[in-house]
C-alpha cells in the first residue's frame, strides 16, 4: 500500500495516493492492536506520507493535524530511543512544518525552521559523514536560499554556494546518482539568477 501510494504521488495523483497511504497507516496500527507488535517508526513514517498527500492536495488543515500527531509520536519515541534515526524522523516533521508555513505565507517562521534544520543537518553531516546526510544538508541550504528570496531580507547567496560545493563533490564521487545530478542542475539554475556577491 505504501509503495503504491508513493508511485501514485510521483504520478501526480495525490488523492489516489492518500487512499493507499491511509491503508498502510491503518495496517500498521492494526498490527499493533491485533498482535501486540508495535513499530513506532513505521507508524510515524506513514503519518509523514499522509501529511505529504494533504500538502499536495492543498488541504492545509488536515496536513497540520497529521503533522501534530506525528510530532507527538516522535516526541514519545525520542524519550526511549534517542537515535539518529529518530532525529531524522523529527527533521522530516520539521520539513513538513516548513512547507505548511510557506504555503500559509508565514515565511519568517518557515525560515526559522529551516535555520534549525540546517544546524541539525550540519551536525549529522559532520558526525556521520554519510552521502545522504550531505545531500540533505545541501537541499536544506538550497531551500533556505529560496525562502530568503520570498522574505524581506536580501537573498542568502553564500548559503547557495555552500550547497553547490557539497553537491559538486557528491556528483564527482557518485556521478550515477540521479538525485545528486538533479540537485546540481537546480542549484546551477539558481546561481545563474542570483545577485552577485559583494567583492
Amino acid at each position: 500500500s505504501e509503495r503504491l501510494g508513493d508511485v501514485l504521488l510521483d504520478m501526480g495523483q495525490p488523492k489516489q495516493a492518500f487512499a493507499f497511504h491511509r491503508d498502510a497507516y491503518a495496517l500498521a496500527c492494526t498490527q499493533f492492536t491485533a498482535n501486540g507488535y508495535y513499530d513506532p517508526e513505521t507508524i510515524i513514517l506513514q503519518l509523514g506520507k499522509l501529511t505529504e498527500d494533504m500538502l499536495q492536495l492543498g488541504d492545509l488543515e488536515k496536513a497540520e493535524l497529521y503533522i501534530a500527531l506525528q510530532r507527538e509520536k516522535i516526541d514519545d519515541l525520542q524519550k526511549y530511543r534517542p537515535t539518529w534515526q529518530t532525529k531524522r524522523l523529527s527533521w522530516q516533521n520539521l520539513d513538513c512544518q516548513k512547507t505548511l508555513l510557506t504555503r500559509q505565507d508565514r515565511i519568517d517562521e518557515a525560515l526559522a525552521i529551516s535555520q534549525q534544520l540546517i544546524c541539525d543537518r550540519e551536525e549529522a553531516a559532520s558526525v556521520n559523514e554519510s552521502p545522504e546526510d550531505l545531500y540533505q544538508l545541501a537541499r536544506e541550504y538550497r531551500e533556505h536560499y529560496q525562502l530568503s528570496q520570498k522574505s524581506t531580507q536580501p537573498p542568502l547567496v553564500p548559503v547557495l554556494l555552500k550547497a553547490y560545493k557539497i553537491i559538486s563533490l557528491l556528483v564527482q564521487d557518485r556521478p550515477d546518482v540521479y538525485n545528486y545530478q538533479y540537485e546540481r542542475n537546480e542549484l546551477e539554475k539558481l546561481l545563474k539568477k542570483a545577485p552577485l556577491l559583494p567583492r
Side-chain angles (χ1 to χ4, degrees), residues 100-158:
L100 178 68
L101 291 166
T102 303
R103 299 274 177 87
Q104 294 171 332
D105 290 324
R106 296 159 64 183
I107 303 302
D108 288 342
E109 293 173 73
L111 266 170
I113 287 179
S114 182
Q115 185 59 58
Q116 180 183 343
L117 281 167
I118 282 175
C119 293
D120 292 340
R121 292 193 183 284
E122 283 176 340
E123 181 189 4
S126 64
V127 172
N128 300 316
E129 297 182 348
S130 75
E132 180 61 22
D133 282 324
L134 287 166
Y135 166 67
Q136 293 297 339
L137 174 59
R139 282 191 63 198
E140 193 57 50
Y141 280 146
R142 172 177 57 77
E143 291 179 11
H144 194 71
Y145 170 79
Q146 290 173 307
L147 279 171
S148 75
Q149 288 182 301
K150 299 177 182 179
S151 73
T152 54
Q153 63 178 287
L156 303 172
V157 181

Side-chain angles (χ1 to χ4, degrees), residues 24-94:
Y25 173 66
L27 285 166
C29 293
T30 302
Q31 186 175 19
F32 170 49
T33 55
N35 305 325
Y37 173 74
Y38 181 52
D39 182 2
E41 289 185 9
T42 299
I43 290 174
I44 288 167
L45 285 168
Q46 299 314 317
L47 284 168
K49 302 278 186 183
L50 294 173
T51 302
E52 189 176 350
D53 296 337
M54 288 298 103
L55 288 170
Q56 290 285 336
L57 286 166
D59 193 334
L60 302 187
E61 189 174 336
K62 282 187 180 175
E64 197 163 8
L65 289 173
Y66 285 126
I67 287 170
L69 182 57
Q70 188 191 44
R71 179 79 256 170
E72 182 182 317
K73 293 189 177 298
I74 290 169
D75 289 343
D76 288 341
L77 181 62
Q78 186 72 31
K79 291 174 187 174
Y80 68 91
R81 199 185 296 173
T83 63
W84 280 109
Q85 178 58 25
T86 306
K87 287 181 181 181
R88 290 187 178 94
L89 292 170
S90 177
W91 301 339
Q92 180 205 45
N93 183 268
L94 285 171

